[in-house]
Amino acid sequence: MTDRVVISPTTRQEGHAELVMEVDDAGIVTKGMYFSITPVRGLEKMVLDKAPETAPVLCQRICGVCPIPHTLASAEAMDMALGIEIPKAGKLLRKATLAAHNINSAAIHHFLVATDFVPEDKFVTAVDSVSEIRKNVQYVVDMIAGEGIHPSDIRVGGMARNITPFTKDRLVERMTALRPKLEAHIELIKNCVAESAEKLGIPEDLGVVNQPLMAVDPLYGSNDFDMDKFSEVLPETWYDDPEIGKRGCSVIPLWEGQNVETGPRARMEKYQGFKGKGVIAQHVARADEMLKNYDACLEALDAIDPAASARADYDPRGTGELGFGIIEGPRGTNAHMAKVVDGKTAFYSAIVPTIRAYDPCLSCATHVMVVDDEDKSILKNEMVRI
Amino acid sequence: MPLGTYKEAVSARSTDSKILDVSQDGGIVSALLCYAIDEGIIEGAVVAGTPDDDWRPIPTVVTSSDEVIAAAGTKYSMSPTLSALKDAVRQNGLEKVGVVATPCQVQGLRKAKAYPFTRFVTEKVNLIIGIYCMENFPMASLDTFATSKLGFDSLTEASKMDIGKGKFWLTKDGEDKGLAIKETHGYEQAGCNVCQDYVAEWADVSTGSVGSPDGWSTVLVRTDDGESVFKAAVDAGLIETKPMDDVKPGLPLLEKLAKGKKDKNTAERERRAKMGVRIPTIY
C-alpha cells in the first residue's frame, strides 16, 4: 500500500509550491511531485497593446528576487523586436549591472541556506560577509541602473544615462576593495557546505540528474534562440496524476523535447569546465560563480567610456518580427520574447528559468490558468486558495 | 512669524568678483555652493541650470565651482530641480548633495527626507539653500508676455530678462521693454496663489535680494547645518556681512512681503475651500 504525504505550501522558496510524495510500506519515497501553486498574475497579457517601453517596467515586477534579469530580458527582447542596436556603453552598463546583481543574488542564497550548512561559531562571520558583499554590489546596481530592486534606468535602447567618470572611479574603487572579502566568503561557504555534507551524511548522488544543460552564455546572455527546439507542455500532460496536473500553475518548457538543467552549475559545467553534479555541487558552483561575475563586473566597469552615449535613438513602431532577450540570471536562463506591430506590443512571452532549476522561485514560473471559452469563468480558481 | 525659524539674519555678499559679475544680487547661493564643494562639505549640487535661448531652465547637476558659476542667476520659469536629484545620487555618484530650491521645492524635499518614500536619495542631501519666491511663471506665460504683451515675435529674441521697479523686463537689441507687474497677474502658476511660504522656511539657509541694498542679499541662517557652512564661508573671507539693522530697507520689508503673501494667499485658500476645491496642507 502506498501512502501519500503532502506538504503545502512549501516554504523554502520564493512563491508557493506543493510537494506531494508517495511513500511505500517501508517508508521509502517512491515518487515526488513538486509543483507551483502560485496564483497567476498575467503580466505577459498586461503588456499587450501597450507601448514597447511598458514591458520592461511591468515585467520586472514578475519577481523581486530577479528583477534585474527580468528587466534586462524584457529590454533586450524589445531592442530586438524594434531592430535596435544598443550603443557599446549601454551594453557594458547592462553587463556590469547583471554581474553585480548575480553576486547579490548568490549572497542572498547563501544567507537562506546558512542555517542548513553554516555551523553556529561561523554564523556571524557568514552573515557579516553576506551583508558586506550585498551592500557593495547593490551599490553598483543602484548607481548604474537607478535602483537595486526594480531598476528604473534599464531602458529600451540602452540605459537612461551613462555614469560620470567620478562614479566610474568610485565603483571600480569599491569593487576592488571588496575582493578579499568576497574570496574569503566563497571559501567559507564552500568549506561549510563540504563539512556539513559529510557530517549530515548527504548522499553523493542526491539531486544528480543527467538532463541536457541549458545555458546560452557564460555570464550575460544573447539574442540567439532557436524556437524550433523549444516546446511547452501543460501540467496536465506532464504529471501522470490528473489531480496534480489540474493544480499545477506552471507550464513545462522543453528543449528538443526534454526537460533541461539550468542555473549556476549548468553554466559552470558548460563554459568553465566545472565538474560535479547534484545538490552539493550546485552550492559549490554558485559560490565559485560569484568570482566569475566579480571579474566580469570589474571588466565591464573598466571598459565603460563615460563620455559615450548609453542609449540609442529608435523607431518605436516595431519590425513585426519576434525579438528575443535571453539573460543568464542567478537561477538560470531567462528568456523573454516580444513582437511589436504599429508601436504596440502584439505578443509577449516569458520562459523563466526557475521551472528548470534546483532552486525554484515560483512567482515567475506561474503561467497557467484555465478559463472556460464559453462563459469566461475561471476553472482553476482553487489554486489561489493556499 | 512671517520669516519662519531662523538663528540669524544678515545682509551679505560674495567677495569673489567672478561670482558678483554673474550673480543676481549678492551671489550668496553661488558663494556657499562653491565653498561647500571646494571644502568637500558637498560633492556637488542640484541647481536650476542656465537656460538656452528659449529661456527654459534645465535642472543641472554641478560638481565644481566653475559649473556653479556657469549656472548662476535667477530663472524666471519653474525649474523642476528635484527631478535631477536622482541623477545626482545615482549616475553622478554623489554621496553629499546640495540643493538650491524654491520654497515649494524645499517643502517637498523636507517631506521626502522625513518619510521613507525614497531609498538612498534624499538622505544624501545635506545642504538645502532656499531662495525667496513670491510666484513663478510657466513657460507659456513667459511666451505670452513676450509675444502678446511686448510685441516680440518670439521669446527667443530676448537677450535679457529681469524683474524690478514694478515691471517685468525683456531686452531686445539693447532696448529694454517693460510690462507692469500687475499685467502679469493671473499668469503665475495656480499653486503660487495658495502658497504660504515666501522665504523658504524649511531650508538650511534662505536668501534673496529683498531687505538689502542693491548688490547685496538678505540671508536667513536657519539650521545648525546651514549655520556651520555659512559661518565657515564668512570666516574664510568668501562672504562679507553687515548687520540687518545697518542696512535699508532692512528686515521690516522682508517681513512685510512674507506676511503679505501669507495674508493674500490665505484669503485665496479660503475662497477656493468655499468652492470645494482641495487645497494643499500648510506646514
Side-chain angles (χ1 to χ4, degrees):
Chain A
M1 200 198 113
T2 47
D3 232 356
R4 181 171 268 223
V5 177
V6 178
I7 303 171
S8 178
T10 55
T11 55
R12 278 298 192 89
Q13 81 288 314
E14 188 279 341
H16 304 284
E18 188 165 308
L19 179 62
V20 178
M21 289 169 290
E22 286 176 5
V23 184
D24 68 13
D25 290 341
I28 302 295
V29 176
T30 53
K31 189 171 163 187
M33 285 167 287
Y34 185 38
F35 54 94
S36 166
I37 51 168
T38 304
V40 167
R41 285 91 45 85
L43 284 150
E44 293 147 303
K45 295 293 174 214
M46 283 183 215
V47 302
L48 296 183
D49 294 327
K50 296 192 171 65
E53 291 84 357
T54 307
V57 178
L58 290 188
C59 290
Q60 63 180 226
R61 267 78 188 175
I62 283 175
C63 184
V65 180
C66 289
I68 307 289
H70 281 300
T71 316
L72 285 170
S74 189
E76 294 267 349
M78 280 304 173
D79 290 342
M80 189 173 166
L82 299 177
I84 305 167
E85 177 134 4
I86 74 163
K88 188 181 167 201
K91 195 77 176 183
L92 288 168
L93 289 164
R94 286 184 180 182
K95 284 185 172 180
T97 304
L98 182 69
H101 170 79
N102 282 3
I103 297 170
N104 166 61
S105 201
I108 294 177
H109 204 105
H110 291 153
F111 176 71
L112 293 175
V113 299
T115 45
D116 295 336
F117 294 119
V118 180
E120 223 172 279
D121 63 324
K122 290 179 183 150
F123 205 83
V124 172
T125 313
V127 171
D128 255 13
S129 65
V130 163
S131 302
E132 190 62 23
I133 290 164
R134 290 197 59 221
K135 199 165 75 187
N136 284 286
V137 293
Q138 285 292 74
Y139 184 82
V140 174
V141 180
D142 270 344
M143 294 300 126
I144 298 178
E147 290 297 331
I149 304 159
H150 301 319
S152 49
D153 294 346
I154 297 171
R155 304 283 174 87
V156 173
M159 301 291 280
R161 284 177 292 273
N162 202 338
I163 52 174
T164 62
F166 177 81
T167 308
K168 176 178 163 168
D169 290 348
R170 180 162 273 182
L171 295 181
V172 169
E173 193 183 309
R174 275 185 81 149
M175 284 299 279
T176 305
L178 180 65
R179 189 172 186 114
K181 192 96 191 173
L182 184 69
E183 284 176 341
H185 173 81
I186 293 168
E187 275 317 296
L188 173 73
I189 294 295
K190 282 165 68 177
N191 288 338
C192 288
V193 166
E195 281 163 23
S196 57
E198 204 178 301
K199 209 169 86 191
L200 298 169
I202 295 175
E204 276 180 22
D205 60 350
L206 183 69
V208 172
V209 291
N210 288 303
Q211 295 307 118
L213 303 175
M214 182 163 198
V216 297
D217 194 80
L219 292 159
Y220 182 74
S222 93
N223 299 108
D224 197 10
F225 193 78
D226 189 348
M227 270 302 267
D228 292 340
K229 293 185 177 165
F230 169 74
S231 59
E232 281 179 315
V233 291
L234 290 172
E236 276 90 338
T237 320
W238 187 254
Y239 296 103
D240 55 12
D241 183 322
E243 191 54 31
I244 285 172
K246 220 171 81 183
R247 281 174 61 68
C249 306
S250 52
V251 289
I252 289 83
L254 301 175
W255 191 254
E256 295 184 309
Q258 298 187 70
N259 61 342
V260 292
E261 182 192 341
T262 188
R265 204 205 68 79
R267 271 195 297 267
M268 290 290 282
E269 181 179 324
K270 188 166 174 183
Y271 295 106
Q272 314 287 1
F274 181 83
K275 301 275 185 262
K277 284 172 183 274
V279 168
I280 296 302
Q282 178 78 335
H283 286 295
V284 174
R286 181 179 295 108
D288 280 343
E289 200 183 38
M290 289 174 107
L291 205 56
K292 303 280 176 201
N293 276 312
Y294 172 86
D295 290 338
C297 184
L298 259 184
E299 195 183 311
L301 285 173
D302 197 49
I304 288 164
D305 171 10
S309 166
R311 196 174 184 201
D313 287 329
Y314 59 87
D315 179 344
R317 286 174 296 179
T319 59
E321 301 289 323
L322 196 58
F324 298 101
I326 323 289
I327 291 292
E328 287 296 335
R331 269 150 285 274
T333 312
N334 181 24
H336 285 220
M337 24 187 124
K339 192 186 279 188
V340 178
V341 178
D342 297 334
K344 303 283 181 209
T345 304
F347 171 80
Y348 202 94
S349 180
I351 307 165
V352 298
T354 51
I355 27 191
R356 290 162 269 131
Y358 278 108
D359 45 353
C361 38
L362 296 164
S363 295
C364 68
T366 296
H367 285 252
V368 184
M369 68 177 192
V370 180
V371 179
D372 190 313
D373 271 347
E374 299 284 311
D375 62 4
K376 303 293 172 204
S377 63
I378 296 166
L379 299 179
K380 263 193 150 183
N381 69 345
E382 74 267 30
M383 70 179 77
V384 302
R385 286 194 227 114
I386 292 160
Chain B
M1 251 197 348
L3 301 182
T5 307
Y6 62 93
K7 290 166 174 277
E8 190 189 14
V10 290
S11 190
R13 82 174 169 188
S14 165
T15 55
D16 185 342
S17 62
K18 265 197 308 188
I19 291 176
L20 289 175
D21 283 350
V22 291
S23 64
Q24 200 74 17
D25 302 296
I28 295 302
V29 172
S30 301
L32 280 177
L33 286 185
C34 288
Y35 176 75
I37 289 176
D38 290 344
E39 292 299 312
I41 298 164
I42 57 174
E43 291 176 335
V46 184
V47 303
T50 301
D52 290 331
D53 289 350
D54 66 358
W55 291 97
R56 183 181 293 277
I58 311 289
T60 306
V61 181
V62 292
T63 54
S64 68
S65 307
D66 288 346
E67 287 172 359
V68 170
I69 290 166
T74 300
K75 319 297 181 299
Y76 291 90
S77 186
M78 282 309 284
S79 161
T81 297
L82 299 186
S83 69
L85 185 54
K86 188 88 182 274
D87 189 8
V89 298
R90 293 295 195 263
Q91 283 83 0
N92 279 273
L94 307 183
E95 292 296 319
K96 294 178 286 182
V97 184
V99 176
V100 181
T102 56
C104 51
Q105 292 169 338
V106 175
Q107 283 175 19
L109 184 53
R110 281 288 181 211
K111 202 170 180 179
K113 277 175 88 69
Y115 289 79
F117 289 152
T118 53
R119 177 180 156 275
F120 306 148
V121 179
T122 51
E123 58 262 54
K124 297 184 181 186
V125 174
N126 64 339
L127 179 62
I128 304 176
I129 303 176
I131 39 187
Y132 306 161
C133 173
M134 190 58 82
E135 63 202 9
N136 213 307
F137 298 109
M139 282 307 295
S141 299
L142 295 184
D143 287 336
T144 304
F145 299 159
T147 55
S148 301
K149 304 230 174 210
L150 294 172
F152 286 47
D153 288 334
S154 149
L155 184 63
T156 57
E157 292 177 345
S159 58
K160 193 175 161 217
M161 195 180 284
D162 198 9
I163 290 180
K165 299 177 192 127
K167 285 188 173 180
F168 171 87
W169 298 92
L170 288 180
T171 308
K172 178 184 165 187
D173 303 330
E175 190 194 338
D176 295 337
K177 288 192 166 188
L179 179 69
I181 286 293
K182 65 173 192 290
E183 287 271 317
T184 68
H185 289 162
Y187 287 89
E188 61 276 1
Q189 298 195 114
C192 300
N193 292 329
V194 290
C195 171
Q196 307 283 305
D197 189 353
Y198 176 55
V199 286
E201 295 175 26
W202 297 92
D204 290 316
V205 179
S206 304
T207 185
S209 66
V210 172
S212 289
D214 277 357
W216 288 70
S217 299
T218 303
V219 179
L220 297 172
V221 180
R222 299 186 181 279
T223 64
D224 292 345
D225 286 348
E227 186 180 41
S228 73
V229 176
F230 186 74
K231 279 212 162 129
V234 172
D235 289 347
L238 297 174
I239 291 173
E240 56 179 318
T241 64
K242 288 183 191 171
M244 281 310 289
D245 290 345
D246 293 359
V247 299
K248 293 283 175 198
L251 273 191
L253 179 63
L254 192 63
E255 283 170 350
K256 184 183 154 204
L257 291 187
K259 185 172 181 304
K261 182 172 180 178
K262 283 182 197 294
D263 290 347
K264 177 170 149 281
N265 290 354
T266 299
E268 173 63 10
R269 291 172 70 89
E270 283 162 4
R271 190 183 75 85
R272 289 191 195 182
K274 257 187 213 161
M275 293 194 296
V277 177
R278 287 182 65 178
I279 47 173
T281 311
I282 301 173
Y283 295 99

